[in-house]
Amino acid sequence: MILEEEVISKDALKLQITGDLDAHTADELRDSLENILDSDHRKIHLILDLEGVNFIDSSGLGVILGCYRKVSKKSGKVIIINPQPHVQKILELSGINRVIPVVRDMERATEMIGEKGVEK
Amino acid sequence: MADNFARLEFSGSTSNLGLARVAGATFAGNMDFTLTEIEEIKVALSEAVSNAIIHGYGEDPEGIVRVEFYEDNGGMKIIVEDRGRGMEDGTPEEKDEDRLGLGLTFIKAFMDELKIITEPGKGTRLEMFKKPARTINGKDGE
């Protein structure tokens, strides 16, 4: 499991996740997300790019929902972009897409967090 | 000629989840399942094996998880078995907050049949079955 960060703006980060999200990688992802959120309290919005996620089960969903809870406490937003079709299906079946928006592209995601441009 | 089968045993470590999924997907790939159905089988199998490792053995790598695949009655039968804690009332209740209690939900959603045999102190056996939609509906029934 690989996690790459990209600063979108002063209060938003994009995290590109690659690999399988299951019980084996869940702890690693959870720890990484917590470290990222704790290291800069100004970053309250997260865009999770799941294009590189080949597999997700309930363990992976649990980490994403935990991240959502942490971000929500700071009045931030979590948005998921680019899930592969079979990952999208899992998001829908679990109902997570009812609390965390799932969109197709960055433009839509940045609109939703109220960002008009990308910070260079 | 006997129907195809495969058997896998591994230690109760989550590092073996990927191995189980690849084995299940490869076995299913020899049958008439679509790619979508194979992804569903992978999820169901991952949940079942995760249950065995996490709930059956508490992630103790000394525990052994056994997974069997069978071509059976036009479909794929999967058995996931552990000799761990077992469950009390035979109707497993997901209290695993980390996994949102969704493990069995996904198994039931993606497999056609599920049978759970469990006894406290004697382990748990999940038997799952899925038939390719193409064999149910005919070749055009996708």
Side-chain angles (χ1 to χ4, degrees):
Chain A
M1 198 273 303
I2 299 168
L3 193 63
E4 292 176 39
E5 284 177 62
E6 181 185 336
V7 175
I8 300 300
S9 69
K10 65 180 184 332
D11 58 3
L13 271 179
K14 180 180 124 178
L15 300 176
Q16 181 137 15
I17 305 172
T18 303
D20 292 352
L21 299 187
D22 61 11
H24 184 56
T25 55
D27 284 346
E28 180 189 349
L29 179 61
R30 184 179 297 112
D31 291 345
S32 297
L33 288 172
E34 286 183 1
N35 287 340
I36 287 165
L37 290 171
D38 290 343
S39 66
D40 186 349
H41 292 281
R42 294 171 304 166
K43 296 291 187 285
I44 60 169
H45 302 303
L46 280 186
I47 296 171
L48 301 178
D49 187 337
L50 301 189
E51 187 177 24
V53 172
N54 298 314
F55 177 84
I56 190 167
D57 64 11
S58 62
S59 297
L61 292 176
V63 175
I64 291 176
L65 193 63
C67 170
Y68 165 81
R69 286 192 194 119
K70 196 172 171 99
V71 166
S72 295
K73 281 182 187 169
K74 299 197 285 185
S75 300
K77 293 178 187 169
V78 176
I79 298 168
I80 290 172
I81 65 170
N82 300 328
Q84 295 185 35
H86 56 281
V87 172
Q88 169 92 28
K89 190 168 183 178
I90 296 294
L91 297 173
E92 290 169 358
L93 190 63
S94 68
I96 259 193
N97 60 320
R98 284 185 235 133
V99 291
I100 300 176
V102 180
V103 299
R104 275 290 136 207
D105 55 58
M106 242 344 251
E107 188 178 347
R108 181 71 186 117
T110 50
E111 278 174 13
M112 292 177 82
I113 57 174
E115 297 297 332
K116 293 189 173 55
V118 174
E119 186 176 82
K120 299 252 185 265
Chain B
M1 190 170 78
D3 287 336
N4 191 23
F5 81 95
R7 187 174 294 135
L8 192 63
E9 282 190 357
F10 47 84
S11 69
S13 166
T14 57
S15 61
N16 289 315
L17 280 168
L19 168 68
R21 289 196 299 268
V22 164
T26 305
F27 193 94
N30 289 323
M31 302 178 67
D32 213 12
F33 291 107
T34 63
L35 290 177
T36 300
E37 288 171 325
I38 292 174
E39 290 298 330
E40 292 174 352
I41 288 169
K42 283 168 65 179
V43 173
L45 181 57
S46 194
E47 298 293 355
V49 174
S50 294
N51 280 347
I53 292 170
I54 295 168
H55 296 296
Y57 292 127
E59 295 190 62
D60 179 0
E62 297 288 318
I64 303 293
V65 180
R66 183 177 186 143
V67 179
E68 297 173 358
F69 308 116
Y70 296 90
E71 283 189 27
D72 177 48
N73 194 25
M76 180 176 175
K77 182 173 181 177
I78 302 173
I79 297 172
V80 177
E81 192 167 19
D82 68 77
R83 288 278 178 261
R85 291 187 275 230
M87 287 173 286
E88 283 206 7
D89 56 6
T91 51
E93 196 175 1
E94 293 272 9
K95 293 177 180 168
D96 188 346
E97 287 184 6
D98 285 348
R99 294 168 62 212
L100 312 177
L102 285 174
L104 285 179
T105 301
F106 285 152
I107 294 173
K108 288 175 186 174
F110 291 145
M111 303 302 285
D112 298 331
E113 295 170 22
L114 169 66
K115 184 176 173 186
I116 302 170
I117 303 130
T118 185
E119 197 174 328
K122 294 192 177 175
T124 299
R125 177 183 170 100
L126 260 68
E127 296 180 4
M128 302 175 278
F129 177 80
K130 187 176 183 76
K131 209 167 210 176
R134 285 192 277 220
T135 61
I136 298 170
N137 300 322
K139 287 291 181 185
D140 298 326
E142 168 71 61

